Amino acid sequence: MAKFFEEPSRTFSEYLLIPGYTGPDCTPDKVSLRTPLVKFKKGEEPALSLNIPMVSAVMQAVSGTEMACALAREGGVSFIFGSQSIESQAAMIRKVKATKAGFVGSDSNISPEDTLADVIALKNKTGHSTMAVTENGKADGKLVGIVTSRDYRVSRMDKATKVSEFMTPFEDLIVGDENITLSQANDIIWDNKLNQLPIVDKNQRLVSFVFRKDYEDHKSCPLELLDDKKRYIVGAGINSRDYAQRIPALLEAGADVFCIDSSEGFSYWQAETIRWVREHYGDTVKIGAGNVVDEEGFRFLAEAGADFVKIGIGGGSICITREQKGIGRGQATATIDVARARDKYFEETGIYVPICSDGGIVHDYHMTLALAFGADFVMLGRYFARFKEAPNKVVTVNGTYMKEYWGEGSARARNWQRYDVGGEAKMSFVEGVDSYVPYAGRMKDTLDLTLSKITHTMCNCGCLTIPELQRDAKVTLVSSTSIVEGGAHDVVVRDENFDSRAK
């Protein structure tokens, strides 16, 4: 007879936190959201930690280069999607790693033989008015000048005019060498009243730019997640098929941490992938695994050598695994169960394996609940897909700006490796949908609000760190009636738009 779990499978919306004592020193500005990303031994520090407990999902519609840089700036990590060729994924990793804090790679490049019409077209495409003029028109070419909006007037110039005729030539530029520090670069910018400083190597090839406008941005990002070379930390998704070719290429490109991207992690193939990594790289390469939903699945991956374990099957907003297969578990129940398994494993072995709650996050407070239930960090897809920095397109649907959002198990992604169970190299049926999410603009604005909610809630619970929240949080189940009570009820909510029209 099948094994039956006595407790029902529950979601985050079925729980609330009970306030704890808030002392005079328990204020949001004193809360630390730092949390381990990879496993560590008792008494030691993890090799990689997050400054905020959030990572972006291994998805085509979520984790590209711009998102990776933006999230690392705020203290989190993106896992660049693996459902692409090894070469293109490695190129994305290189682009992120080429971006030091404050040093921006050029994505607007043009050659001296191009024309004003080409400049206008490129500006419309990228939105950037500063363009590097290189001999070959590529980002790594020899720098021969730059073009800014001050170098031309569209209304008074022939669009066939060559760039070489109106660009600022290299000999008139102030540049920095590739060994310059960000502080030195900013000093040059301010001393010479520049808007940007091109950085070149000894062969005059363009390395990056430092922009005046980024100065305040970087001063306001104290949680930036950087490696020892001041480059952004970036992760990469891999599968359990071509890892022997993909991992070396991504390591060479600079990937800091890997995640096996799979809908179900309690499998021979994930254990084999981790075994191969340990055989070839020992513990120097960091690799997470998943997804699992119970103690047995966690124990399997922890003993296989995973650096972190992801929790969640079928809880994502675009995931229909539960509908298609009837397999999965409520995200709250799964997180509680796996957290207990993680703590038990730590007591037995002295090795702490961080766990990541992946899916089932509908509201911001669900993130705080996931942390209180034992998750060390959360992985988010829909949340990040809404932002400008995500690689998906902005479209209009019925007059409303939306962003396209599709699951890795959808027909659009065709990521059969994610659902591989050792059969043929194809998808027999889909486990994800193609959808839209409301466009939310720049990530930082919304992320700051989300983090504020988390830190304020932690203070309401009397906790200043995530370990304190996991240890001291008080949680209650809620009835369906009390869920209704928790929102606006028994009133007519004012419609601000109606009020303004009435005036």
Side-chain angles (χ1 to χ4, degrees):
M1 184 176 177
K3 176 182 178 181
F4 286 86
F5 290 84
E6 296 300 323
E7 288 297 316
S9 179
R10 300 190 182 277
T11 68
F12 290 126
S13 291
E14 296 178 77
Y15 292 91
L16 287 175
L17 291 163
I18 301 296
Y21 171 68
T22 303
D25 296 326
C26 193
T27 55
D29 60 300
K30 294 178 182 176
V31 170
S32 170
L33 294 178
R34 189 168 175 80
T35 191
L37 175 59
V38 297
K39 69 182 179 185
F40 59 95
K41 293 181 180 178
K42 187 175 183 178
E44 297 181 356
E45 288 294 315
L48 289 172
S49 292
L50 299 164
N51 287 329
I52 62 170
M54 301 166 73
V55 299
S56 66
V58 190
M59 298 177 71
Q60 296 172 6
V62 178
S63 295
T65 54
E66 190 175 356
M67 177 60 72
C69 292
L71 188 51
R73 242 187 327 267
E74 302 303 323
V77 165
S78 283
F79 285 88
I80 302 293
F81 65 93
S83 50
Q84 58 179 315
S85 71
I86 295 173
E87 294 74 21
S88 61
Q89 189 182 17
M92 293 176 78
I93 296 291
R94 286 193 190 91
K95 188 171 182 179
V96 177
K97 298 306 284 189
T99 307
K100 291 185 181 180
F103 292 83
V104 182
S106 178
D107 63 358
S108 294
N109 308 287
I110 208 152
S111 80
E113 296 304 307
D114 287 324
T115 65
L116 176 58
D118 296 317
V119 169
I120 296 169
L122 185 58
K123 181 180 179 181
N124 290 336
K125 178 181 178 181
T126 65
H128 300 154
S129 57
T130 298
M131 300 175 190
V133 185
T134 61
E135 282 187 341
N136 61 2
K138 297 181 179 180
D140 60 351
K142 182 178 180 180
L143 186 67
V144 295
I146 66 169
V147 169
T148 72
S149 56
R150 295 180 300 179
D151 292 316
Y152 59 87
R153 293 184 69 177
V154 176
S155 62
R156 297 191 179 185
M157 291 174 60
D158 186 339
K159 291 184 180 179
T161 305
K162 288 188 176 182
V163 170
S164 58
E165 297 181 33
F166 60 88
M167 71 181 187
T168 301
F170 181 82
E171 53 267 23
D172 292 339
L173 296 176
I174 297 174
V175 301
D177 71 76
E178 61 184 329
N179 296 314
I180 197 171
T181 66
L182 182 59
S183 177
Q184 291 170 334
N186 280 316
D187 285 343
I188 293 174
I189 286 173
W190 287 94
D191 291 345
N192 293 276
K193 300 180 179 179
L194 305 174
N195 286 326
Q196 66 280 316
L197 180 71
I199 308 300
V200 297
D201 65 14
K202 61 183 178 180
N203 297 316
Q204 201 177 308
R205 293 186 179 278
L206 181 64
V207 175
S208 60
F209 277 101
V210 177
F211 290 95
R212 173 189 287 263
K213 65 180 178 63
D214 287 342
Y215 177 77
E216 288 301 327
D217 286 347
H218 289 283
K219 292 290 285 185
S220 66
C221 294
L223 299 178
E224 282 184 319
L225 210 58
L226 307 172
D227 65 16
D228 56 3
K229 296 180 181 178
K230 304 297 184 184
R231 303 174 303 179
Y232 292 128
I233 298 291
V234 62
I238 61 169
N239 62 65
S240 56
R241 282 275 183 160
D242 64 5
Y243 54 84
Q245 296 77 43
R246 191 173 292 268
I247 289 177
L250 299 184
L251 284 173
E252 190 276 331
D256 297 285
V257 58
F258 297 102
C259 178
I260 305 174
D261 181 34
S262 173
S263 66
E264 205 280 296
F266 193 0
S267 74
Y268 165 86
W269 294 279
Q270 289 218 6
E272 278 297 292
T273 303
I274 298 169
R275 183 196 61 76
W276 183 90
V277 168
R278 298 295 174 237
E279 182 180 303
H280 288 80
Y281 300 101
D283 287 327
T284 60
V285 168
K286 306 303 178 183
I287 179 169
N291 288 16
V292 298
V293 293
D294 65 359
E295 177 180 1
E296 193 176 1
F298 169 83
R299 174 74 63 158
F300 174 80
L301 290 177
E303 291 178 348
D307 284 293
F308 64 85
V309 173
K310 286 205 294 135
I311 310 160
I313 295 175
S317 60
I318 42 66
C319 184
I320 55 172
T321 294
R322 296 180 194 175
E323 289 182 13
Q324 292 282 55
K325 293 180 173 178
I327 193 169
R329 200 177 193 188
Q331 192 66 13
T333 302
T335 302
I336 294 167
D337 199 1
V338 174
R340 287 173 178 155
R342 185 265 323 276
D343 293 344
K344 181 179 178 182
Y345 186 79
F346 181 52
E347 290 175 6
E348 293 175 2
T349 66
I351 299 173
Y352 188 92
V353 181
I355 57 175
C356 167
S357 183
D358 174 22
I361 303 292
V362 179
H363 305 292
D364 287 353
Y365 81 90
H366 288 170
M367 300 181 205
T368 316
L369 283 170
L371 298 173
F373 291 1
D376 295 284
F377 55 99
V378 296
M379 177 173 278
L380 305 165
R382 181 191 59 85
Y383 180 90
F384 287 116
R386 303 174 296 161
F387 301 130
K388 172 183 177 294
E389 294 84 356
N392 47 346
K393 293 180 180 179
V394 178
V395 296
T396 56
V397 179
N398 297 326
T400 301
Y401 285 108
M402 310 287 281
K403 289 208 95 178
E404 297 177 328
Y405 181 44
W406 60 97
E408 287 298 296
S410 67
R412 179 171 181 173
R414 303 303 303 172
N415 185 7
W416 65 267
Q417 295 95 334
R418 189 175 199 273
Y419 301 88
D420 181 28
V421 289
E424 297 181 22
K426 66 177 184 179
M427 288 179 65
S428 300
F429 53 88
V430 298
E431 294 187 41
V433 299
D434 201 339
S435 64
Y436 302 103
V437 288
Y439 179 51
R442 291 177 66 246
M443 181 189 74
K444 182 173 176 57
D445 300 330
T446 301
L447 181 62
D448 285 348
L449 179 59
T450 298
L451 295 175
S452 178
K453 290 179 183 179
I454 294 173
T455 55
H456 278 77
T457 305
M458 287 174 65
C459 285
N460 291 146
C461 295
C463 303
L464 290 173
T465 66
I466 291 173
E468 286 181 15
L469 182 67
Q470 293 170 342
R471 183 192 67 212
D472 299 334
K474 296 181 291 182
V475 183
T476 182
L477 269 170
V478 294
S479 68
S480 58
T481 306
S482 63
I483 291 174
V484 173
E485 180 187 61
H489 61 90
D490 299 317
V491 295
V492 177
V493 178
R494 282 182 61 182
D495 183 342
E496 296 293 341
N497 293 326
F498 176 80
D499 289 348
S500 64
R501 289 194 301 269
K503 293 178 181 178

